[in-house]
């Protein structure tokens, strides 16, 4: 007799744009062996393709705009409550263009990951592909990390290298990065869902889930 499959881990994914990373997670989660399901998608703005991708799959969505709250702290609290309502095991920031605030980190710190389109610690911030291109590096990539209070500074879960081609512009380079970034995200979020992990300083260590 085989052991019953454990309940899939509950993922809440936050987006701000096109949501191709979200789509990759939704597609992967269609296979029960993946071990995770996207239970809700949140955004900091309306009318984005990322939200539409969720709606097309019947996944609940929510929006918390900074401008709808008296200040950033109130937005942080509201976002935290909105995410909490879906009881996530893991929160995935996938192209979410806001920094997580103190309330969010107090609740979901250590189980929130973000993906950044550069090889940390190089080129943090909103312009990773552009900064890499302007610097003239021949290799850049993407980094999956556990979110902390800094800008793309948290402990690194995984990285993938991507070459810069001679005729790249920012868009071509970012699209090449995103192809590898999506595969990395799917692989490592799945691993975080299926295994136990501990964060030891800046190192993440995985161990098989205790099934007893
Ligand atoms: C990704 O490259 C992400 O790392 C960056 O913005 C992009 C989002 O792409 N912050 P998408 O919305 O998942 O298509």
């Amino acid at each position: 007799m085989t052991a019953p499959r454990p309940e899939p881990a509950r993922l809440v994914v936050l987006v701000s744009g096109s949501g191709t990373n979200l789509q990759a997670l939704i597609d992967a989660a269609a296979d029960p062996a993946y071990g995770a399901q996207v239970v809700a998608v949140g955004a900091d703005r309306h009318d984005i393709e990322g939200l539409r991708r969720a709606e097309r799959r019947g996944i609940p969505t929510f929006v918390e705009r900074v401008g709808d709250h008296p200040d950033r702290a109130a937005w942080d609290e509201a976002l935290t409550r909105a995410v909490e309502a879906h009881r996530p095991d893991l929160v995935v920031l996938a192209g979410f263009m806001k920094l997580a605030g103190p309330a969010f980190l107090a609740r979901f710190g250590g189980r929130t990951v973000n993906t950044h389109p550069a090889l940390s610690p190089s080129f943090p911030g909103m312009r990773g592909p552009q900064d890499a291109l302007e610097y003239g590096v021949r290799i850049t990539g993407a980094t999956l990390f556990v979110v902390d209070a800094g800008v793309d500074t948290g402990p690194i879960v995984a990285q993938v290298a991507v070459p810069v081609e001679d005729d790249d512009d920012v868009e071509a380079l970012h699209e090449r990065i995103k192809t590898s970034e999506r595969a990395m995200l799917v692989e490592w979020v799945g691993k975080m869902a299926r295994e136990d992990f501990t964060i030891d300083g800046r190192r993440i260590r995985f161990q098989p889930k205790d099934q007893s």
Side-chain angles (χ1 to χ4, degrees):
M1 223 171 84
T2 52
R5 214 188 277 283
E7 284 293 301
R10 299 173 63 84
L11 308 180
V12 170
V13 183
L14 302 183
V15 297
S16 298
S18 65
T20 63
N21 281 285
L22 163 67
Q23 187 71 56
L25 286 172
I26 293 173
D27 292 346
D31 179 352
Y34 186 63
Q37 57 175 337
V38 179
V39 296
V41 173
D44 62 336
R45 62 201 72 188
H46 293 284
D47 199 28
I48 53 173
E49 185 59 18
L51 289 172
R52 287 191 282 272
R53 288 177 192 275
E55 284 157 9
R56 285 198 289 271
R57 294 293 188 99
I59 297 169
T61 63
F62 58 89
V63 175
E64 291 294 346
R65 296 192 307 180
V66 173
D68 291 341
H69 298 279
D71 54 27
R72 198 92 182 180
W75 171 78
D76 176 26
E77 299 274 0
L79 180 71
T80 303
R81 280 194 302 274
V83 171
E84 177 73 84
H86 297 281
R87 295 180 289 107
D89 296 304
L90 263 182
V91 183
V92 181
L93 312 189
F96 186 60
M97 305 307 259
K98 292 281 185 301
L99 283 181
F104 192 93
L105 287 173
R107 189 72 193 84
F108 300 115
R111 54 194 178 108
T112 299
V113 292
N114 191 4
T115 172
H116 176 58
L119 284 179
S120 298
S122 295
F123 314 123
M126 309 275 275
R127 306 179 349 144
Q130 183 173 344
D131 290 345
L133 201 58
E134 286 173 3
Y135 194 90
V137 294
R138 305 311 307 240
I139 304 278
T140 184
T143 301
L144 182 69
F145 62 95
V146 178
V147 173
D148 67 8
V151 178
D152 302 324
T153 51
I156 291 170
V157 178
Q159 293 188 295
V160 60
V162 174
V164 179
E165 305 293 352
D166 288 345
D167 56 355
D168 271 347
D169 57 16
V170 176
E171 196 182 336
L173 177 59
H174 195 179
E175 281 308 313
R176 187 176 316 108
I177 292 169
K178 283 177 67 170
T179 300
S180 297
E181 185 180 25
R182 287 189 287 266
M184 174 186 70
L185 182 73
V186 164
E187 178 182 348
W188 287 87
V189 165
K191 190 173 167 70
M192 292 177 93
R194 292 185 304 271
E195 298 186 17
D196 284 333
F197 60 90
T198 51
I199 303 169
D200 177 11
R202 292 201 52 85
R203 309 279 299 276
I204 317 276
R205 298 182 200 284
F206 287 88
Q207 56 272 151
K209 266 206 165 86
D210 182 0
Q211 304 286 8
S212 60

